[in-house]
């Protein structure tokens, strides 16, 4: 009895999750003008009218979740996110179907991953189903920002930061979870634009025992300057290795369709060994291709030498990166130790599988194919 009573008092004082039913919605009085849907939309620049936020602190737990007009954050300059990288993020999109319905694509996986990233930074946990309902409401409030033109979408960026106002390197005593969104255009407005990869074994993005499998801001900043350098050499992305094994390309997962040594046609991608970000797109590609059952689908470690040898022997059929922004991105060539290895592209600007995966996943996202991965935003 007594402990039950105490628990109740405690839980009233300390909230272990915010609740979507407590959501306070403050609508803007000055809606922005919608940008023109053309190819010059800059990624993440055209933010919508509202944002979601909720604060947490050690004493009280989670505060009241809110949807408010889009506005700057006011933070203490001593907030731990500015000093020790207590920041993690997610990226997903909302799509408008031909019948005017708004859909999200597997949002539960993004929320699960956000909780995992937050745990790695000692940021507070919450009930994922509650955040999903809050995001649903945010997208519904801003649904005119989900363009009804295939290829266009609303990009949604859930973010968590430590706001702890002291300069000690400790577990954040306060935090903020917020979600912003922006209208985005098609990644490939004029058809595929294949990328050239630069592979340099002296540069490392992630390592065993590290946090490469978490979407935390600290994983991305350090790659920016080097990527800008290789851009000048005509390469768009880095092909990251761990101990000679291929891991990821830029901020995408890596896939290769090849004839393996046994002569079998095989789609291969590195396994989730802690150095690989577990992409929602990666998971979707694996599940779809396993369902098709037309070739072998394998998650296993493979080295850059296996790749370059296969390229020399003409066994590579196609290769591509995978992620929410582009879905799939064809790879045209890979530079390693002074040699450019050409990757075939049956369709000129991509391989057959790359194109088929793009079309198939797009038709699920835009509701042309009914699929359990689609999450309906509309309340009626
Ligand atoms: C986000 C991300 C991916 C792709 O994940 P998706 O869920 O498919 O968008 C792959 N690799 C890295 C390093 C990433 O940050």
């Amino acid at each position: 009895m007594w402990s039950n009573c105490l628990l109740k008092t405690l839980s009233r004082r300390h909230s272990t999750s915010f609740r979507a039913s407590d959501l306070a919605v403050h609508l803007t009085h000055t809606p922005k003008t919608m940008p023109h849907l053309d190819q010059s939309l800059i990624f993440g620049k055209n933010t919508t009218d509202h944002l979601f936020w909720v604060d947490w602190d050690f004493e009280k737990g989670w505060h009241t979740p809110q949807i408010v007009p889009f506005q700057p954050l006011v933070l203490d300059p001593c907030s731990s996110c500015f000093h020790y990288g207590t920041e993690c993020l997610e990226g997903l999109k909302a799509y408008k179907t031909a019948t005017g319905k708004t859909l999200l694509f597997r949002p539960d996986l993004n929320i699960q991953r956000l909780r995992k990233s937050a745990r790695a930074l000692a940021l507070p946990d919450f009930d994922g189903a509650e955040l999903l309902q809050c995001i649903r409401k945010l997208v519904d409030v801003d649904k005119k920002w989900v363009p009804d033109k295939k290829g266009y979408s609303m990009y949604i960026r859930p973010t968590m930061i430590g706001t702890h106002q002291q300069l000690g390197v400790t577990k954040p005593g306060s935090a903020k979870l917020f979600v912003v969104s922006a209208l985005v255009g098609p990644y490939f407005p004029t058809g595929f634009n294949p990328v050239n990869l630069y592979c340099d074994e002296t540069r490392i993005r992630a390592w065993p025992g590290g946090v490469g499998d978490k979407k935390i801001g600290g994983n991305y900043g350090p790659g920016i300057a080097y990527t800008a350098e290789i851009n000048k050499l005509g390469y768009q992305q880095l092909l990251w290795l761990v101990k000679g094994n291929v891991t990821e390309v830029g901020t995408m997962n890596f896939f290769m369709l090849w004839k393996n040594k046994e002569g079998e046609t095989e789609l291969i991608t590195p396994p989730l060994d802690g150095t690989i970000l577990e992409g929602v797109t990666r998971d979707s590609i694996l599940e779809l291709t396993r369902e098709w059952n037309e070739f072998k689908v394998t998650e296993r470690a493979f080295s850059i030498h296996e790749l370059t040898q296969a390229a020399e022997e003409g066994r590579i059929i196609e290769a591509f990166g995978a992620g929410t922004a582009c879905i799939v991105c064809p790879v045209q060539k890979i530079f390693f130790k002074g040699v450019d290895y050409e990757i075939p592209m049956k369709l000129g600007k991509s391989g057959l599988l790359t194109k088929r995966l793009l079309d198939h996943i797009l038709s699920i996202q835009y509701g042309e194919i009914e699929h359990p991965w689609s999450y309906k935003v509309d309340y009626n």
Side-chain angles (χ1 to χ4, degrees), residues 211-233:
V211 287
D213 59 342
K214 316 287 193 304
K215 233 175 168 62
I216 66 179
N219 283 341
Y220 304 89
I224 294 174
Y226 195 46
T227 303
E229 271 178 52
I230 60 129
N231 287 166
K232 283 189 233 146
L233 305 173

Side-chain angles (χ1 to χ4, degrees), residues 190-262:
T190 55
F192 277 126
N193 200 3
V195 289
N196 299 330
L197 308 185
Y198 192 92
C199 183
D200 174 351
E201 57 189 341
T202 68
R203 299 287 178 139
I204 297 174
R205 184 196 89 89
W207 46 89
V211 287
D213 59 342
K214 316 287 193 304
K215 233 175 168 62
I216 66 179
N219 283 341
Y220 304 89
I224 294 174
Y226 195 46
T227 303
E229 271 178 52
I230 60 129
N231 287 166
K232 283 189 233 146
L233 305 173
Y235 300 87
Q236 287 74 39
Q237 300 281 352
L238 288 156
L239 180 64
W240 298 106
L241 304 182
V242 170
K243 293 184 175 162
N245 284 337
V246 172
T247 59
E248 300 206 56
V249 26
T251 59
M252 294 182 281
N253 293 116
F254 183 75
F255 283 85
M256 177 167 70
L257 184 71
W258 68 344
K259 289 267 182 229
N260 65 19
K261 283 234 165 96
E262 287 70 47

Side-chain angles (χ1 to χ4, degrees), residues 37-267:
L37 295 189
D38 62 24
Q39 292 166 11
S40 65
L41 287 174
I42 295 170
F43 180 76
K45 199 164 185 289
N46 296 289
T47 49
T48 65
D49 282 322
H50 299 90
L51 61 79
F52 166 85
W53 63 24
V54 56
D55 284 313
W56 176 89
D57 70 61
F58 180 74
E59 283 85 36
K60 203 176 155 200
W62 289 99
H63 299 209
T64 306
Q66 296 181 310
I67 287 173
V68 296
F70 193 94
Q71 59 191 277
L73 297 180
V74 177
L75 294 170
D76 191 290
C78 293
S79 297
S80 70
C81 61
F82 296 133
H83 304 274
Y84 310 119
T86 51
E87 190 268 357
C88 56
L89 65 146
E90 268 308 320
L92 67 161
K93 286 174 173 177
Y95 309 86
K96 193 68 57 75
T97 71
T99 55
K101 299 262 175 272
T102 304
L103 300 178
L104 299 176
F105 182 71
R106 310 187 78 186
D108 46 315
L109 296 188
N110 295 93
I111 290 170
Q112 196 180 314
R113 200 167 63 184
L114 181 66
R115 292 176 59 207
K116 190 175 108 175
S117 302
R119 273 199 295 279
L121 299 171
L123 289 169
D125 199 8
F126 53 87
D127 184 332
E130 298 295 331
L131 178 59
L132 179 53
Q133 287 309 315
C134 293
I135 291 177
R136 178 185 183 190
K137 184 69 188 173
L138 177 68
V139 176
D140 190 62
V141 162
D142 273 341
K143 67 177 166 220
K144 72 165 194 207
W145 289 87
V146 186
D148 54 0
K149 193 167 170 188
K150 196 172 173 185
Y152 290 77
S153 57
M154 180 208 271
Y155 184 81
I156 304 165
R157 169 56 59 87
T159 314
M160 272 180 93
I161 52 173
T163 54
H164 198 61
Q165 301 160 9
Q166 75 168 54
L167 292 172
V169 186
T170 54
K171 194 171 147 125
S174 62
K176 195 177 205 83
L177 194 176
F178 60 91
V179 183
V180 292
S181 31
L183 189 157
V184 295
Y187 196 86
F188 298 117
T190 55
F192 277 126
N193 200 3
V195 289
N196 299 330
L197 308 185
Y198 192 92
C199 183
D200 174 351
E201 57 189 341
T202 68
R203 299 287 178 139
I204 297 174
R205 184 196 89 89
W207 46 89
V211 287
D213 59 342
K214 316 287 193 304
K215 233 175 168 62
I216 66 179
N219 283 341
Y220 304 89
I224 294 174
Y226 195 46
T227 303
E229 271 178 52
I230 60 129
N231 287 166
K232 283 189 233 146
L233 305 173
Y235 300 87
Q236 287 74 39
Q237 300 281 352
L238 288 156
L239 180 64
W240 298 106
L241 304 182
V242 170
K243 293 184 175 162
N245 284 337
V246 172
T247 59
E248 300 206 56
V249 26
T251 59
M252 294 182 281
N253 293 116
F254 183 75
F255 283 85
M256 177 167 70
L257 184 71
W258 68 344
K259 289 267 182 229
N260 65 19
K261 283 234 165 96
E262 287 70 47
E264 303 160 306
T265 305
E266 177 182 49
L267 180 66

